Amino acid sequence: MTGDEPLVLGIETSCDETGIGIVRGTTLLADEVASSVDEHARYGGVVPEVASRAHLEAIVPTMERALRTAGVRLADVDAIAVTAGPGLAGALLVGVAAAKGYAVAADKPVYGVNHLAAHVAVDTLEHGPLPSPAVALLVSGGHSSLLLIHDLAGDVRPLGATIDDAAGEAYDKVARLLGLPFPGGPPIDRAARDGDPEAIAFPRGLTHARDLAAHRFDFSFSGLKTAVARWVEARQRAGEAIPVADVAASFQEAVCDVLTAKAIDACREHGVDTLVIGGGVAANSRLRALAEQRCERAGITLRIPRARLCTDNGAMVAALGAHLVAAGQRPSPLDLGADPGLPVTTVTV
Ligand code: KG4
Ligand code: ZN
């Protein structure tokens, strides 16, 4: 190993971003991302075959850019980490195959890692090692979970998760209803700035007393999405204009209210004083502001990586890889596969 901290290269291809990141310990050296999002936009969602082909085309040039940016050679790295799941099967396979190829060519150990744990690990690049225990709120296009993390290298316990749509999925679907582009998070975030978050009282899923016994730390966003659809359709039928900013702000307030309230409740219940938020939706300006406000009031230390590191990238995979190497974890076997349904508790395969 060169120096004290491991030099790790991370490969991310679970969805529509081809990401290659390079870190030394918790120091970010390169974070190159090639996105195929524009190719999916006209379909209103990610098309798996299109994503796989885009990864194939992007992986080698992205790799070369990352090595150049970091000023290192493949021969210098201590390990290669790659997202093994969860994600789209064909998209994951491109990254896993590439990681194996580079690992064999350069004689490096390879770590197949969990995309969700990587969304949490990326915060170490900004705020240093994660204190133990910590509660993580993970909010992306495919997942919304609350996790109790004792050790990112292996002790990750699920506290709750969405029982239907993920938070990012709700943003994407509501954006479509409002005629905003895909992915829906950023345009709703922007539109909401000019709207009144109290204009429309949209439902807060699984927050009523009757739901709390079984679903205290679970989420549900499908009722909210339907409520927005009904509200918009009723206005359209009446021939009225849709107040896009108010709908966006009120929808966003419902999502962020529930996410932050449950995350803080989880911290209190488990006596945890650190909350880390990760995943694409953690880029949301209202979620960040509300979490800040409520954590401060509750005496909880809040950690959220900068917005660019919240959405999918290779640096998060490298960050988790570096943590695994530093913790002395064994690498994955060279016949590791992609697992589209990899459970959140399996940090490395
Ligand atoms: O983590 P991510 O990049 O990919 C997955 O692992 O799914 O998350 C993508 C999701 C999309 O649903 C996107 O709409 C949402 O993150 N997102 C946002 C924002 N930026 C991205 N949602 C709300 N506000 C944002 N600013
Ligand atoms: Zn993600």
Side-chain angles (χ1 to χ4, degrees):
M1 211 178 278
T2 38
D4 287 328
E5 295 190 296
L7 181 66
V8 176
L9 183 139
I11 301 178
E12 155 62 35
T13 65
S14 68
C15 193
D16 57 345
E17 257 85 42
T18 311
I20 310 265
I22 301 176
V23 306
R24 188 181 292 286
T26 57
T27 306
L28 179 61
L29 302 181
D31 174 25
E32 296 293 331
V33 176
S35 179
S36 61
V37 68
D38 294 344
E39 294 178 56
H40 307 287
R42 67 191 172 109
Y43 302 103
V46 175
V47 183
E49 288 78 5
V50 173
S52 305
R53 197 196 51 217
H55 287 308
L56 264 180
E57 287 167 1
I59 197 126
V60 173
T62 309
M63 179 76 161
E64 285 166 359
R65 272 209 316 277
L67 290 169
R68 217 167 29 239
T69 305
V72 301
R73 294 166 309 149
L74 190 58
D76 301 330
V77 310
D78 295 303
I80 295 171
V82 59
T83 301
L88 302 169
L92 288 167
L93 267 178
V94 177
V96 170
K100 289 181 189 177
Y102 285 120
V104 169
D107 192 21
K108 304 293 178 188
V110 59
Y111 291 78
V113 305
N114 190 305
H115 180 83
L116 306 176
H119 267 307
V120 179
V122 74
D123 185 67
T124 62
L125 300 178
E126 199 122 289
H127 301 114
L130 195 66
S132 172
V135 164
L137 169 66
L138 197 113
V139 274
S140 71
H143 295 83
S144 298
S145 306
L146 275 168
L147 307 168
L148 179 61
I149 299 182
H150 283 279
D151 178 6
L152 257 182
D155 190 348
V156 174
R157 302 176 199 174
L159 298 176
T162 180
I163 61 166
D164 40 57
D165 293 348
E169 196 178 351
Y171 267 93
D172 297 339
K173 288 176 176 168
V174 166
R176 197 172 180 161
L177 275 171
L178 295 175
L180 297 171
F182 174 84
I188 288 189
D189 198 345
R190 273 193 300 277
R193 274 176 216 155
D194 303 318
D196 174 4
E198 288 170 13
I200 311 151
F202 285 131
R204 270 70 168 157
L206 301 182
T207 56
H208 297 287
R210 64 174 183 277
D211 301 319
L212 292 181
H215 293 294
R216 181 165 169 192
F217 301 125
D218 290 329
F219 302 106
S220 167
F221 296 109
S222 109
L224 169 61
K225 171 196 66 190
T226 306
V228 176
R230 295 254 161 79
W231 197 93
V232 168
E233 281 156 17
R235 292 299 169 296
Q236 281 167 336
R237 239 179 285 119
E240 294 171 19
I242 307 297
V244 172
D246 282 349
V247 177
S250 302
F251 158 76
Q252 174 159 282
E253 197 62 20
V255 173
C256 298
D257 180 20
V258 176
L259 290 176
T260 51
K262 292 206 175 208
I264 288 172
D265 187 29
C267 289
R268 286 219 178 98
E269 170 70 12
H270 293 276
V272 170
D273 61 8
T274 302
L275 172 66
V276 50
I277 310 185
V281 181
N284 185 263
S285 63
R286 180 59 184 152
L287 179 61
R288 299 172 82 96
L290 193 58
E292 185 89 55
Q293 205 183 316
R294 290 183 171 176
C295 281
E296 194 178 325
R297 214 179 302 144
I300 292 167
T301 305
L302 176 66
R303 298 168 52 127
I304 317 182
R306 60 180 176 272
R308 185 188 151 97
L309 293 178
C310 291
T311 48
D312 289 351
N313 61 75
M316 63 195 232
V317 179
L320 179 54
H323 182 69
L324 295 171
V325 172
Q329 286 253 354
R330 278 223 307 275
S332 304
L334 253 191
D335 65 352
L336 83 148
D339 183 351
L342 189 67
V344 68
T345 44
T346 307
V347 173
T348 176
V349 298

